[in-house]
Amino acid sequence: MRLFWWLLITASIIVSKGHTQAPRIYGGFLADYTIANTPSSTGQFYNTHQFKATYFVATEDLLRMPPFLDLNIFNNNNALISSTRTGGVIQNGVLTPQPNSSVEASQPYTYTSVCGQNISLTKITYTFSTLDFYNLSYNEIGGYYAETSPIGQRINVTNLTQTNTPVVLRLEIGPADLVEYRAGHTHTPVANPLALGNFEVCNGQNIDFASPIFKLGTPPSPNLTLKYSFATPRSNTPLSYRSGYSAQNFTSNTTAPLSIDPNTGRITGRVQQPGTYVYVIRADAYQGNTKYSAIEYEFVLSVIDCRPNEKPSITISKLGQPQVLLSSTICEDSTLQLNLKGFSRGGSLQWLRNGNPLAGKTDSVLAVPAGQGGTYSCTVTLANACPPSISSDTISVVVIPKPSINIGLSTGSGQICEGQSLTLTANTNATSPVYQWFKNGSLIPNASASYFETGETGTYAVRVTGMTNCSNLSSPQAVTIIPAPTARITAPSNFVCEGNTLTLSAPLAPNHTYEWRRNNQPYVGVNQSSIAAGDEGNYTVKVSSPEGCFAESSVFFLKKAALPSVNISSTANELCEGATLILTASGNQLKTFGWTRNNQPISGATQNKISVRESGTYRVTVTDTNQCQTISSPFQVTQIPSIVVQLDSIPPFCGVSQPAVLLSASPTGGTFMGKGVVNNTFDPTKAGVGSHEITYTITSTFACQSGKAARTVVINAPPNIALADTHSISQGEALKLDGDIGSNFKYEWTPPIYIDDSQSAHPTVTPPETTTYTLKVTDDEGCSAQDSMTVYVLSRIYIPDVFTPNGDGHNDVWEIKGLEDYPEAEVKVFDRWGNLVFLSNKTSVRLFDGNYLDKPLPNGNYVYLIQSKQNGHEYRGKLLILR
């Protein structure tokens, strides 16, 4: 304490030497603490007052505050009554030191700005020495007021006309005898020195400040009531407001100024423009209707134009479907989604439940798990915003418990026999319940009663929904349908053979009982799934399961049948070696067959017929349609030997002119057949050219004693030669003969003279005179034929190719020399257009004189054609007529 006072004194010395900057004061108040009520010896009493002045100063200006502070007491007429100074009492200009005075500074208080630089302030309190107010001296009805000497300077504010004005604190108090003293109570209201928390707000922000002024005492004095109002700050000279500002509208709101509740001192409203404003809260203390005292508390309010941090709202929706809104009342198994709306982007979010942060829930969407009721809100924190942190209104999520539900059964086990039914009943505590039944997880249509009757196996459940619209699904209830036993009589047939029994069977099932009856009479002592029945009649069986389910079969009628009869027959009882014999089993309504040979089963022989190749004793075991069985009498098969039929070969013939031959075959006794056969001979004349089959056949009742042999007789046709009878050639010419009829023949020409190859099919001959040639042709079988042709050798002729019919006696006619040797020759001449202009033949022999129809033909080329005889040798060429 003394150190701080010494620092202030030192600082005042420095100021006195020229450092005159005044400390910046952000607010303050003057309070009165009545500490005693003392009677005097003269019958008076006095109240002992101790005044304290508190200032809020910028921390860096702390040492600029004065070390001493004066306090002056005035009456209502502004007359000075007394003065005091921290450290003593001033009387007649003389400071008399007094105890109980001090100057104290708090620890620096850092105020966090909503969106600007932080401000560090320190509270400094001047405590004055005590003053005694005697009831006989301080009894003016108008009361008194105390003021501090002006110190420091206000920070520059927006709403005052003056700037850098010093600060004066004021307190009003009534006469000493106006209010009864009570220990622990004060006669004046006391200000809360920690109320500076409302130093800075955001432009456009709604504010709600609690009053910093309260009545001192525990409990507060019941004799005083407070009335609150706004007042003008004080200085060493009167202060004035700038245009548009006043004590009641210190922020110059254009509409709805900030208001103060006269009973509580709470300040509410919405600031409308940025600035730094000084304002004063005044609290008047009343006893009844008499005002006794008043206190004024000066503040500075900074309105900052920062980025707004909008207050968010919360909507409730289906999980994952924010557009589907829900009520805040949910069922305990339901989930919902909280959606934060209208919040400022760019900051951080934190969801809270019942005021406690939810770890990791920092998204704009919060999924509320089933059963998590409570009060939810979300705080948005945004740097450099106003306010930096803002919370939504709370949303209360109310969880309604699910109705209880269980299923009762009409049978305790949940098991029923096939064909029966069971009733399921829903038991619930729901009000006005609505039911829906399910089977194997699937909804059952139209099943909405409190009970459900079923005769089917499955797992059943019921959902119940009450008035609160909350539903619950019961635990599954299994219903088992026990299948009725199968009561069905089966048997290989519905007949029993004479002397035999037939097994009647019901399906075998473990631990089942069987009751057999014939003609409605029980089989005594029979409890088996099958019986051996040998009597005709109507049979039934009743089958019961261990669970008591039973079924009774339909009637099985068993008829007694006679044994079948069978007979083996065949076309013979003898068998050729290698041959087959068909044995046939005959009888009525035979169904199966089993053959044996010499009492040994024959594999695969299960038909009514069998082909046998061996001798032996054959039997057949047969079963008829009634499953009755019998064995036939034996059938004996004997094997006989076989014969071989042979026919001797017959050599081929060349042509049909050869004599008949004798046919030979074995064994004897057979018959020859075929074209050309006459009894036991073959005549080629009757058969003709070609291949002919000759057969020899022996016929018997047994195949092995019968047979047939065949031979083919070939009568070859002689080669077919067709040579021309004659052919003419001129002397010295060659002629190619053509006798070719194929490559598989041998050729021979005679006489072999004037011929280049007498073994060729088409040799060339050059006879000097007329010669007759004969050709012999032989095939591969040695069959041959021959033919002849005559080659006539004619003398040569000379044919001129030009003549001059001009009448000069030389070459006037076309003369062909040597043509006289061809009396049958024909001569023709044609002009260039193909017209015949000359003809000479054996009936009209003449020479061509160059005229046609007795008129000379024009000079030029003509064509001639000379034939030695009909179809004989031809000569062609050109003929020139030149005159």
Side-chain angles (χ1 to χ4, degrees), residues 713-753:
V713 179
V714 178
I715 301 176
N716 295 313
N720 182 20
I721 307 173
L723 297 176
D725 292 339
T726 64
H727 198 85
S728 299
I729 62 173
S730 299
Q731 287 181 343
E733 289 184 343
L735 176 64
K736 188 172 186 178
L737 306 180
D738 187 7
D740 192 355
I741 63 172
S743 61
N744 296 325
F745 295 91
K746 294 180 180 180
Y747 298 90
E748 183 180 5
W749 293 88
T750 58
I753 58 174

Side-chain angles (χ1 to χ4, degrees), residues 664-679:
S664 175
S666 64
T668 61
T671 303
F672 295 97
M673 297 290 291
K675 190 175 183 181
V677 173
V678 179
N679 295 325

Side-chain angles (χ1 to χ4, degrees), residues 282-561:
R282 177 183 174 92
D284 293 286
Y286 288 84
Q287 180 175 341
N289 293 324
T290 302
K291 187 177 87 168
Y292 172 73
S293 62
I295 186 173
E296 295 178 349
Y297 197 150
E298 180 174 326
F299 292 88
V300 173
L301 176 65
S302 293
V303 179
I304 310 299
D305 200 3
C306 297
R307 175 185 177 185
N309 191 2
E310 301 293 340
K311 183 174 182 178
S313 61
I314 299 176
T315 63
I316 306 174
S317 70
K318 280 190 174 182
L319 193 64
Q321 301 181 57
Q323 71 280 6
V324 182
L325 300 182
L326 297 178
S327 166
S328 62
T329 301
I330 61 172
C331 301
E332 66 176 283
D333 58 350
S334 299
T335 59
L336 55 77
Q337 178 172 297
L338 300 182
N339 309 280
L340 193 66
K341 301 291 184 180
F343 63 94
S344 298
R345 305 288 174 169
S348 62
L349 308 180
Q350 177 61 60
W351 287 92
L352 301 95
R353 176 173 177 261
N354 298 330
N356 299 314
L358 295 173
K361 304 303 181 181
T362 59
D363 195 7
S364 62
V365 173
L366 177 67
V368 178
Q372 292 294 310
T375 301
Y376 289 85
S377 64
C378 186
T379 298
V380 181
T381 301
L382 187 62
N384 297 326
C386 184
S389 180
I390 190 168
S391 296
S392 69
D393 292 334
T394 58
I395 290 286
S396 294
V397 177
V398 179
V399 176
I400 301 176
K402 296 186 296 184
S404 64
I405 180 65
N406 63 75
I407 298 177
L409 302 173
S410 58
T411 62
S413 65
Q415 294 182 334
I416 56 175
C417 294
E418 184 178 0
Q420 297 178 352
S421 63
L422 174 146
T423 299
L424 307 170
T425 302
N427 301 312
T428 181
N429 63 352
T431 303
S432 301
V434 176
Y435 302 94
Q436 177 58 61
W437 291 88
F438 296 84
K439 177 187 176 186
N440 298 331
S442 298
L443 182 145
I444 305 174
N446 303 319
S448 57
S450 61
Y451 63 91
F452 182 74
E453 186 174 345
T454 182
E456 298 178 357
T457 294
T459 300
Y460 292 83
V462 61
R463 176 181 287 123
V464 61
T465 304
M467 281 184 63
T468 60
N469 208 31
C470 289
S471 61
N472 194 6
L473 185 67
S474 70
S475 299
Q477 174 61 55
V479 174
T480 304
I481 306 301
I482 302 174
T486 302
R488 181 180 65 252
I489 299 176
T490 59
S493 80
N494 59 350
F495 291 89
V496 60
C497 301
E498 188 71 35
N500 295 331
T501 60
L502 184 71
T503 299
L504 306 183
S505 300
L508 178 62
N511 302 320
H512 283 52
T513 60
Y514 301 85
E515 300 177 34
W516 290 90
R517 303 176 75 86
R518 172 179 172 269
N519 296 334
N520 210 27
Q521 296 300 314
Y523 262 62
V524 179
V526 177
N527 182 19
Q528 297 175 348
S529 63
S530 62
I531 61 172
D535 297 320
E536 184 174 283
N538 293 319
Y539 289 83
T540 59
V541 63
K542 179 180 178 182
V543 183
S544 301
S545 69
E547 296 82 8
C549 300
F550 65 89
E552 190 167 351
S553 72
S554 57
V555 174
F556 184 90
F557 177 66
L558 181 62
K559 184 178 180 180
K560 185 173 288 188

Side-chain angles (χ1 to χ4, degrees), residues 20 42 55 204 207 266 312 316 369 597 816:
T20 59
T42 61
Y55 298 89
I207 64 173
R266 182 174 295 274
I316 306 174
R597 173 179 173 269
I816 303 173

Side-chain angles (χ1 to χ4, degrees), residues 99-112:
N100 301 323
S101 67
S102 65
V103 180
E104 296 178 297
S106 68
Q107 292 295 325
Y109 171 74
T110 300
Y111 179 78
T112 302

